[in-house]
Amino acid sequence: MELFATVDQGGCILDLSHLNLESLNLDTVGDERRRVTQQLYLYNNRLTVFPASVCLFSKLEVLDISNNGLTVLCEDIQRLSNLKTLIAKNNRLNEFSFPNEFGSMQIDTLNFSGNMFEELPIQFLKLQRLKYLSLGGNRLKAIPPEIENITSLEMLYLGGNLIISIPPELANLRGLRYLVLCDNRIQSVPPQLTRLYSLRCLSLHNNLLTYLPREILSLVHLEELSLRGNPLVVRFIKDMTYDPPSLLELAGRTIKSRNLHYHPNDLPGNLVHYLDLASKCPNPKCTGVYFDSCVRHIKFVDFCGKYRLPFMHYLCSPECTSPCSSNPQSDAESEDERCVSADRLQRVLLG
């Protein structure tokens, strides 16, 4: 087998790619070779069964088994205690292809793009050191709320799936820097994503977005926002559908807007909790608040003096909106939203 392998001078890399291998037995590899090999490349072969003998390489840190026909990863893969990077693009793997204890491994990089996943494997959600996760080009229909458990995640690539929504729990990944959700069926972006304080790149092109939450403007480190291929509205739109507030909400609005003091001992716990849910009207000329009853209001915001993007606002009443002019400066428009400068957002990709 080594006659066909490419080996670097230090012996740390063993390259068995592009050999049209249908099976592989590495038992004959010498002990010294097994001890020093840190990177093993088996991509572009014809393997349909994961070679169990790979697990004899105790120091292995990088394993690339892409472009084969694998359907299952064997239990022995857990023996690769030093494995940091596992790349298995373009195989036939799915959410049932992994041993139960796969989540206990110390992997920080996974790339399973181009496989047959319909759900995110529960084992992935237990990988405490995972930083980079790529599952593009699969059949994922949803992002599980438990994604928040991968607290070390810095890059999440889920482009080219069938995802229709973004769970608010995704916003709990405070270290996330790159979020790629392009080429899906996403219709809206939850405002909670503004808690992704470290986010540098947000890729949402080729989805079904018609507006963005205004809160996205608070992503101060965002450098690239990709929106091309979405049915974003191309003119000013106001949706004046408005359900009158309930008596409970009217009372709550009065208490909050007039700053009436109350003590938790004065009210039932459910009412105290309700009052804590008050949202301030974004109109800087309004001192009102709202709870459940609000007016949906879509307004354009300048980006870099070049683009105008539709953002969703929630106002406390119809009186807080104003007609759009050719140069809109509505009462519901705060100073920091009139223009997002180039140093705040380096690229807005619309086409």
Side-chain angles (χ1 to χ4, degrees):
M1 179 63 63
E2 288 193 335
L3 294 175
F4 302 98
T6 300
V7 183
D8 73 324
Q9 291 182 349
C12 295
I13 300 175
L14 181 59
D15 189 348
L16 296 169
S17 62
H18 297 279
L19 296 178
N20 288 320
L21 299 173
E22 295 184 357
S23 61
L24 180 63
N25 188 342
L26 297 172
D27 290 340
T28 58
V29 176
D31 290 342
E32 181 62 22
R33 163 68 60 196
R34 296 177 189 172
R35 281 194 296 268
V36 300
T37 299
Q38 297 178 348
Q39 302 178 34
L40 176 58
Y41 299 109
L42 299 174
Y43 55 86
N44 287 100
N45 281 293
R46 301 169 63 185
L47 301 171
T48 57
V49 177
F50 182 83
S53 55
V54 168
C55 303
L56 299 173
F57 292 75
S58 58
K59 301 297 183 181
L60 201 62
E61 296 182 3
V62 177
L63 174 61
D64 190 339
I65 51 175
S66 301
N67 300 303
N68 282 284
L70 301 176
T71 58
V72 175
L73 299 186
C74 66
E75 295 274 350
D76 287 340
I77 195 172
Q78 299 162 203
R79 294 166 53 189
L80 297 175
S81 57
N82 291 301
L83 191 65
K84 300 295 187 296
T85 299
L86 176 58
I87 306 173
K89 300 180 293 183
N90 303 322
N91 281 282
R92 300 175 62 191
L93 299 166
N94 59 36
E95 58 269 29
F96 305 110
S97 299
F98 302 86
N100 291 334
E101 299 303 316
F102 185 83
S104 64
M105 298 185 70
Q106 303 303 306
I107 294 175
D108 62 33
T109 302
L110 283 181
N111 190 335
F112 286 98
S113 296
N115 279 278
M116 303 174 69
F117 293 88
E118 294 186 6
E119 297 180 0
L120 202 64
I122 57 175
Q123 293 92 330
F124 289 9
L125 303 173
K126 300 176 182 179
L127 292 167
Q128 295 301 307
R129 297 192 179 183
L130 189 62
K131 293 182 178 180
Y132 309 100
L133 175 59
S134 296
L135 282 167
N138 279 278
R139 305 172 183 177
L140 297 174
K141 299 176 182 178
I143 304 173
E146 293 80 9
I147 192 76
E148 65 180 356
N149 294 337
I150 316 178
T151 55
S152 57
L153 207 58
E154 296 182 11
M155 190 276 286
L156 179 61
Y157 189 106
L158 298 177
N161 281 284
L162 305 173
I163 298 168
I164 61 174
S165 63
I166 304 173
E169 290 81 2
L170 188 64
N172 294 328
L173 299 175
R174 301 301 175 86
L176 197 64
R177 302 178 64 193
Y178 302 95
L179 177 58
V180 181
L181 298 172
C182 58
D183 299 289
N184 279 285
R185 301 176 181 179
I186 298 169
Q187 300 181 34
S188 63
V189 177
Q192 289 87 347
L193 287 194
T194 57
R195 299 204 302 267
L196 295 174
Y197 305 120
S198 301
L199 200 63
R200 298 292 193 275
C201 174
L202 177 58
S203 180
L204 294 167
H205 56 267
N206 297 330
N207 276 285
L208 301 175
L209 298 172
T210 55
Y211 64 86
L212 298 175
R214 62 184 293 273
E215 290 86 352
I216 203 171
L217 295 173
S218 65
L219 291 172
V220 295
H221 296 297
L222 191 64
E223 298 174 354
E224 181 172 318
L225 175 63
S226 179
L227 295 168
R228 64 184 184 274
N230 280 283
L232 292 167
V233 292
V234 295
R235 60 186 177 85
F236 192 85
I237 297 174
K238 285 194 295 185
D239 184 352
M240 294 299 293
T241 301
Y242 181 62
D243 294 324
S246 64
L247 291 176
L248 173 63
E249 174 149 351
L250 288 172
R253 290 187 179 198
T254 300
I255 292 173
K256 301 297 287 190
S257 61
R258 297 187 179 184
N259 293 317
L260 299 180
H261 296 287
Y262 61 90
H263 192 273
N265 294 333
D266 300 334
L267 300 172
N270 62 319
L271 293 182
V272 173
H273 176 69
Y274 180 79
L275 291 171
D276 290 339
L277 298 177
S279 298
K280 187 180 184 302
C281 182
N283 184 348
K285 296 184 178 181
C286 176
T287 59
V289 300
Y290 65 88
F291 293 86
D292 302 311
S293 178
C294 60
V295 175
R296 296 174 61 197
H297 178 88
I298 296 179
K299 171 177 75 66
F300 281 101
V301 171
D302 285 333
F303 274 73
C304 311
K306 189 175 181 180
Y307 305 106
R308 294 184 63 76
L309 301 182
F311 283 80
M312 177 68 79
H313 288 238
Y314 295 92
L315 305 174
C316 67
S317 71
E319 287 72 27
C320 279
T321 64
S322 65
C324 174
S325 65
S326 59
N327 184 25
Q329 295 284 334
S330 74
D331 288 346
E333 184 175 30
S334 60
E335 189 69 31
D336 63 335
E337 293 170 346
R338 291 175 185 170
C339 180
V340 180
S341 60
D343 60 354
R344 272 283 313 277
L345 194 63
Q346 296 177 6
R347 291 204 293 170
V348 179
L349 306 179
L350 294 176

